[in-house]
Amino acid sequence: MTDYTQLLAEAMKARENSYCPYSGFAVGAALLTTDGEIYRGCNVENSSYGATNCAERTALFAAVADGRRRGDFVAIAIAGGPKDGELIPCPPCGICRQALSEFADAAEFKVLWATGEDIEYEEHTLAELLPFGFTL
Ligand code: THU
Protein backbone atom coordinates (compact mmCIF):
# COMPACT_ATOMS: atom_id res chain seq x y z
CA MET A 1 0.00 0.00 0.00
CA THR A 2 1.38 3.42 -0.97
CA ASP A 3 2.38 5.74 1.86
CA TYR A 4 0.58 9.04 1.38
CA THR A 5 2.11 10.75 4.43
CA GLN A 6 3.81 13.42 2.29
CA LEU A 7 0.62 14.16 0.37
CA LEU A 8 -1.22 14.56 3.65
CA ALA A 9 1.44 17.01 4.87
CA GLU A 10 0.79 19.02 1.68
CA ALA A 11 -2.94 19.07 2.46
CA MET A 12 -2.18 20.36 5.94
CA LYS A 13 -0.03 23.11 4.40
CA ALA A 14 -2.84 24.01 1.99
CA ARG A 15 -5.23 24.26 4.94
CA GLU A 16 -3.25 27.23 6.24
CA ASN A 17 -4.66 29.32 3.35
CA SER A 18 -8.30 28.42 4.03
CA TYR A 19 -10.69 31.35 3.81
CA CYS A 20 -13.49 30.33 6.17
CA PRO A 21 -14.82 33.35 8.09
CA TYR A 22 -18.39 31.99 8.08
CA SER A 23 -18.03 28.36 9.17
CA GLY A 24 -14.70 28.57 10.98
CA PHE A 25 -13.95 25.15 9.45
CA ALA A 26 -10.63 25.11 7.58
CA VAL A 27 -9.93 22.49 4.92
CA GLY A 28 -6.89 21.81 2.76
CA ALA A 29 -6.49 19.35 -0.09
CA ALA A 30 -3.54 18.04 -2.09
CA LEU A 31 -4.09 16.31 -5.42
CA LEU A 32 -1.33 14.03 -6.76
CA THR A 33 -0.75 13.52 -10.49
CA THR A 34 0.73 10.46 -12.21
CA ASP A 35 3.94 12.40 -12.87
CA GLY A 36 4.33 13.40 -9.22
CA GLU A 37 3.06 16.97 -9.27
CA ILE A 38 0.85 18.16 -6.41
CA TYR A 39 -1.96 20.68 -6.76
CA ARG A 40 -3.09 22.27 -3.53
CA GLY A 41 -6.47 23.75 -2.66
CA CYS A 42 -8.34 25.18 0.30
CA ASN A 43 -11.95 26.01 0.98
CA VAL A 44 -12.92 29.50 -0.14
CA GLU A 45 -16.10 30.73 1.50
CA ASN A 46 -18.47 33.50 0.45
CA SER A 47 -20.97 35.72 2.26
CA SER A 48 -23.69 34.18 0.07
CA TYR A 49 -22.69 30.78 1.52
CA GLY A 50 -23.79 29.07 -1.72
CA ALA A 51 -20.80 30.40 -3.67
CA THR A 52 -18.40 28.62 -1.32
CA ASN A 53 -15.90 26.24 -2.94
CA CYS A 54 -14.57 23.20 -1.12
CA ALA A 55 -10.83 22.55 -0.82
CA GLU A 56 -11.04 19.41 -2.98
CA ARG A 57 -12.66 21.20 -5.91
CA THR A 58 -10.29 24.15 -5.57
CA ALA A 59 -7.36 21.73 -6.02
CA LEU A 60 -9.09 19.82 -8.82
CA PHE A 61 -10.08 22.94 -10.76
CA ALA A 62 -6.57 24.40 -10.41
CA ALA A 63 -5.20 21.20 -11.96
CA VAL A 64 -7.76 21.19 -14.78
CA ALA A 65 -7.11 24.87 -15.45
CA ASP A 66 -3.44 23.93 -15.72
CA GLY A 67 -4.28 21.44 -18.48
CA ARG A 68 -4.59 18.24 -16.46
CA ARG A 69 -7.26 15.78 -17.52
CA ARG A 70 -8.83 12.40 -16.78
CA GLY A 71 -6.10 9.81 -16.31
CA ASP A 72 -3.66 12.33 -14.82
CA PHE A 73 -4.67 11.83 -11.18
CA VAL A 74 -3.62 9.28 -8.57
CA ALA A 75 -4.97 10.44 -5.21
CA ILE A 76 -6.25 13.34 -3.15
CA ALA A 77 -5.46 14.01 0.52
CA ILE A 78 -7.74 16.09 2.72
CA ALA A 79 -7.07 17.77 6.06
CA GLY A 80 -9.91 19.52 7.84
CA GLY A 81 -10.98 20.79 11.21
CA PRO A 82 -11.89 23.91 13.13
CA LYS A 83 -9.67 26.86 12.20
CA ASP A 84 -6.83 27.08 14.74
CA GLY A 85 -8.00 23.74 16.13
CA GLU A 86 -7.06 20.11 15.72
CA LEU A 87 -7.69 18.04 12.62
CA ILE A 88 -10.81 15.88 12.57
CA PRO A 89 -11.86 13.35 9.90
CA CYS A 90 -13.12 15.23 6.84
CA PRO A 91 -14.38 12.92 4.09
CA PRO A 92 -15.22 14.81 0.88
CA CYS A 93 -18.75 16.09 0.33
CA GLY A 94 -21.01 14.57 -2.32
CA ILE A 95 -20.45 17.35 -4.85
CA CYS A 96 -16.67 16.91 -4.61
CA ARG A 97 -16.99 13.14 -5.03
CA GLN A 98 -18.98 13.70 -8.21
CA ALA A 99 -16.54 16.38 -9.45
CA LEU A 100 -13.57 14.06 -8.88
CA SER A 101 -15.33 11.22 -10.72
CA GLU A 102 -15.38 13.37 -13.86
CA PHE A 103 -11.58 13.28 -13.98
CA ALA A 104 -10.59 9.99 -12.35
CA ASP A 105 -11.21 6.28 -12.69
CA ALA A 106 -13.23 5.78 -9.49
CA ALA A 107 -12.03 2.20 -9.01
CA GLU A 108 -8.37 3.29 -9.00
CA PHE A 109 -8.35 6.82 -7.59
CA LYS A 110 -7.57 7.05 -3.85
CA VAL A 111 -9.17 9.47 -1.41
CA LEU A 112 -7.60 9.89 2.01
CA TRP A 113 -8.29 12.15 4.92
CA ALA A 114 -6.44 12.95 8.11
CA THR A 115 -7.93 11.31 11.18
CA GLY A 116 -5.99 13.41 13.67
CA GLU A 117 -2.78 15.36 14.28
CA ASP A 118 -0.41 12.38 13.99
CA ILE A 119 -0.23 12.19 10.15
CA GLU A 120 -2.57 9.25 10.29
CA TYR A 121 -5.22 8.86 7.68
CA GLU A 122 -8.10 6.78 6.36
CA GLU A 123 -7.97 5.67 2.74
CA HIS A 124 -10.69 4.60 0.29
CA THR A 125 -11.14 4.37 -3.44
CA LEU A 126 -13.45 6.94 -4.98
CA ALA A 127 -15.70 4.05 -6.05
CA GLU A 128 -16.19 3.09 -2.41
CA LEU A 129 -17.25 6.65 -1.61
CA LEU A 130 -19.37 7.14 -4.74
CA PRO A 131 -20.99 3.88 -5.82
CA PHE A 132 -23.16 4.19 -8.93
CA GLY A 133 -21.86 7.71 -9.62
CA PHE A 134 -23.51 9.52 -12.50
CA THR A 135 -21.76 9.58 -15.88
CA LEU A 136 -22.85 10.46 -19.42
N1 THU B 1 -15.62 21.79 3.08
C1 THU B 1 -14.57 21.44 2.28
O1 THU B 1 -13.77 22.28 1.89
N2 THU B 1 -14.44 20.13 1.95
C2 THU B 1 -15.26 19.13 2.37
O2 THU B 1 -15.07 17.99 2.00
C3 THU B 1 -16.37 19.43 3.27
C4 THU B 1 -16.61 20.85 3.56
C5 THU B 1 -15.75 23.19 3.50
C6 THU B 1 -16.90 23.93 2.93
C7 THU B 1 -17.11 25.02 3.97
O3 THU B 1 -16.24 26.10 3.68
C8 THU B 1 -16.67 24.37 5.26
O4 THU B 1 -15.90 23.25 4.91
C9 THU B 1 -17.81 23.94 6.16
O5 THU B 1 -18.72 23.17 5.48
Side-chain angles (χ1 to χ4, degrees):
M1 204 153 120
T2 311
D3 179 9
Y4 288 117
T5 299
Q6 187 53 38
L7 193 63
L8 200 64
E10 291 290 332
M12 289 160 75
K13 226 178 281 172
R15 187 171 110 92
E16 292 170 13
N17 290 337
S18 166
Y19 176 73
C20 58
Y22 304 104
S23 73
F25 194 83
V27 187
L31 178 62
L32 177 66
T33 65
T34 49
D35 58 357
E37 199 164 325
I38 292 173
Y39 290 87
R40 288 193 211 160
C42 63
N43 56 332
V44 182
E45 298 190 343
N46 187 272
S47 58
S48 73
Y49 288 31
T52 291
N53 208 55
C54 289
E56 297 89 326
R57 274 175 293 140
T58 304
L60 176 65
F61 295 165
V64 173
D66 198 33
R68 302 295 185 159
R69 288 295 182 269
R70 192 175 177 86
D72 289 345
F73 303 113
V74 175
I76 191 167
I78 306 157
K83 191 173 164 53
D84 304 323
E86 303 224 322
L87 295 174
I88 60 170
C90 183
C93 80
I95 293 175
C96 288
R97 295 177 196 201
Q98 179 67 30
L100 288 164
S101 77
E102 180 78 18
F103 293 101
D105 176 346
E108 298 294 326
F109 185 78
K110 301 289 195 312
V111 180
L112 41 131
W113 54 84
T115 51
E117 290 295 310
D118 303 331
I119 312 257
E120 286 170 351
Y121 57 88
E122 187 164 337
E123 177 181 329
H124 294 274
T125 64
L126 183 57
E128 286 175 315
L129 300 176
L130 188 70
F132 305 102
F134 178 77
T135 54
L136 284 179

